[in-house]
């Protein structure tokens, strides 16, 4: 059930993102609220348990940064480009997670995992290999989708090294990194802008902000 629910969320998250982005004319002040809201909610918990969170060290930091980058890249890619292609590139995650688990955790690559790698790379070739050309992303949105999948794979591997922490210990830093990463994507031309017009904050926009969060 958890896997089905997670898949459903990732397949539909682009809907509130695009709806809100259209309502507020691409203003990062408002789409950014959808990322900042969870971070602010978890802030009191992080302050209260700061010593335990900080003592988790590099594994938690890498996990949080990777999750944050992955989620924000996926969101930005879905708003910039072809949603179906961005999602499909993101779902190459099993390929990268298998390779990283071998490299970092020393896990064996079984026949089933090898089949997953071959299937994933074949899918990548089908998606990106136009006219027999080498399969590489064609625009910023596709690169963001691909990098989001790699980032998610890194996060999943390092999650194995933070099993002693609670879900809340991990979630707080993840939401902070997600918000910072999403806001930093305004540095890439052609994305969200820093337009600040309170008149854009319509009731519909507030609903989509909550949906994103």
């Amino acid at each position: 059930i958890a896997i089905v629910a997670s898949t459903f969320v990732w397949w539909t998250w682009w809907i509130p993102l695009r709806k809100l982005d259209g309502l507020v004319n691409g203003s990062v002040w408002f789409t950014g609220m959808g990322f900042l809201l969870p971070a602010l909610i978890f802030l009191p918990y992080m302050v209260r348990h700061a010593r335990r969170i900080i003592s988790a060290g590099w594994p938690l930091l890498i996990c949080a940064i990777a999750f944050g980058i992955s989620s924000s890249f996926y969101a930005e890619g879905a708003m910039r480009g072809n949603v179906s292609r961005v999602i499909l590139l993101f779902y190459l995650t099993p390929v990268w997670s298998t390779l990283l688990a071998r490299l970092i955790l020393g896990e064996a690559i079984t026949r089933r995992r090898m089949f997953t790698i071959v299937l994933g790379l074949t899918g990548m070739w089908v998606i990106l290999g136009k006219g027999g050309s080498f399969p590489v992303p064609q625009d910023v949105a596709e690169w963001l989708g691909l990098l989001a999948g790699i980032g998610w794979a890194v996060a999943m591997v390092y999650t194995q090294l933070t099993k002693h922490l609670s879900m809340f210990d991990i979630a707080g830093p993840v939401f902070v990194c997600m918000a910072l990463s999403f806001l930093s994507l305004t540095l890439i031309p052609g994305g969200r802008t820093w337009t600040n017009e309170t008149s854009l904050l319509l009731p519909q926009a507030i609903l989509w902000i909550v949906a994103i969060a």
Side-chain angles (χ1 to χ4, degrees):
I1 295 176
I3 295 176
V4 173
S6 176
T7 302
F8 176 79
V9 169
W10 281 106
W11 270 101
T12 57
W13 195 34
W14 64 271
I15 297 175
L17 285 166
R18 284 207 162 192
K19 289 288 187 180
L20 177 61
D21 192 56
L23 279 173
V24 301
N25 301 326
S27 173
V28 75
W29 287 104
F30 303 100
T31 47
M33 286 183 189
F35 291 84
L36 286 170
L37 186 58
L40 293 175
I41 291 173
F42 273 89
L43 185 59
Y45 179 90
M46 288 189 289
V47 172
R48 183 178 179 183
H49 300 280
R51 181 174 298 179
R52 183 171 68 236
I53 292 173
I54 293 173
S55 66
W58 285 105
L60 176 57
L61 181 60
I62 294 174
C63 181
I65 292 174
F67 268 131
I69 288 176
S70 174
S71 301
S72 61
F73 278 27
Y74 174 89
E76 182 69 15
M79 286 189 286
R80 279 177 180 256
N82 184 299
V83 174
S84 60
R85 290 172 68 87
V86 170
I87 292 176
L88 289 172
L89 286 167
F90 172 78
Y91 273 105
L92 288 172
T93 296
V95 174
W96 320 127
S97 60
T98 297
L99 297 175
L100 288 170
R102 174 60 182 172
L103 180 64
I104 298 173
L105 304 178
E107 294 185 0
I109 299 180
T110 62
R111 290 183 178 179
R112 180 177 295 181
R113 289 189 173 186
M114 184 62 72
F115 176 74
T116 299
I117 292 175
V118 172
L119 192 63
L121 293 178
T122 301
M124 182 177 176
W125 190 279
V126 171
I127 297 169
L128 301 176
K130 297 179 180 178
S133 61
F134 191 75
V136 294
Q138 301 299 309
D139 54 36
V140 172
E142 291 184 6
W143 275 110
L144 289 171
L146 181 63
L147 293 173
I150 295 173
W152 194 265
V154 172
M156 293 305 296
V157 169
Y158 274 89
T159 297
Q160 301 299 311
L161 302 177
T162 58
K163 286 184 176 180
H164 60 288
L165 298 173
S166 73
M167 179 183 67
F168 295 104
D169 292 340
I170 299 173
V174 165
F175 286 128
V176 170
C177 291
M178 190 186 302
L180 292 175
S181 177
F182 181 75
L183 293 176
S184 70
L185 288 173
T186 57
L187 297 173
I188 303 177
R192 299 332 96 211
T193 64
W194 289 93
T195 303
N196 185 16
E197 297 180 26
T198 54
S199 61
L200 295 176
L201 195 56
L202 307 171
Q204 305 98 300
I206 296 175
L207 291 176
W208 289 123
I209 288 171
V210 173
I212 292 170

